[in-house]
Amino acid sequence: MYYIRIDERKKYYSWFDYCDNGTCENFKNDGKLLFGVSIGSIEKHMGNYLFSMGMDKIIEGYYKNVEKVCMCSRIPSLSRSFKRIEDVPCLELNDEILMRDHVVKMFLNKGCKPMELCKDGYYLDQESLGYSLTMGRLVNGNSSL
């Protein structure tokens, strides 16, 4: 799991905004927002384990002065329900089709909440038909998501 600290006051829309087009040059040593840039593993189902262990550390306060953690979730089940991006109906944040996706569930299981659905949030991901769902949760006793 790869995280970067960034400025929580800036408005972000997609994975590309959060991580500066993948360069992560927007890293801030004192950033209060921790963004999960990537989960990577050789084993297919290890991503869930890595994410879970990483979130446990974050929740325990491993990153001092961080107030919120966010990440942009893939939604691979979209390509099993729809053939093309044009076929996807207007979706709401808590739409059932999003909430039952196995990757989205991984984030929900660690207390993350849907924050923003981005239609062109991750064009590299064909399974998600380009969609991403920004998920987030508060940490270190903060109360305003």
Side-chain angles (χ1 to χ4, degrees), residues 23-140:
T23 66
C24 300
E25 290 181 10
N26 55 341
F27 176 85
K28 302 274 188 223
N29 282 329
D30 60 347
K32 299 206 183 305
L33 173 61
L34 195 62
F35 179 70
V37 176
S38 179
I39 303 172
S41 69
I42 294 172
E43 299 291 325
K44 184 175 175 121
H45 299 286
M46 286 300 292
N48 196 337
Y49 174 76
L50 292 171
F51 174 73
S52 181
M53 297 304 288
M55 281 300 293
D56 287 348
K57 288 292 184 190
I58 293 167
I59 293 166
E60 291 168 8
Y62 182 82
Y63 292 95
K64 303 295 182 218
N65 301 318
V66 166
E67 297 175 355
K68 182 172 27 173
V69 61
C70 294
M71 61 287 300
C72 292
S73 175
R74 299 175 61 236
I75 315 166
S77 64
L78 284 181
S79 64
R80 290 190 288 282
S81 300
F82 306 101
K83 297 272 187 245
R84 304 169 308 155
I85 194 169
E86 296 81 18
D87 299 334
V88 180
C90 183
L91 297 170
E92 300 293 325
L93 272 183
N94 290 306
D95 199 297
E96 182 182 339
I97 195 163
L98 301 175
M99 297 302 108
R100 67 177 186 239
D101 181 88
H102 72 279
V103 178
V104 172
K105 280 183 185 178
M106 175 180 75
F107 295 110
L108 292 171
N109 288 340
K110 283 297 178 179
C112 296
K113 306 262 187 271
M115 295 170 52
E116 187 161 12
L117 180 64
C118 184
K119 185 175 182 177
D120 56 353
Y122 200 54
Y123 65 80
L124 303 172
D125 185 6
Q126 297 300 319
E127 280 187 304
S128 299
L129 300 177
Y131 279 83
S132 70
L133 181 62
T134 303
M135 308 279 291
R137 71 161 284 157
L138 298 171
V139 293
N140 296 330

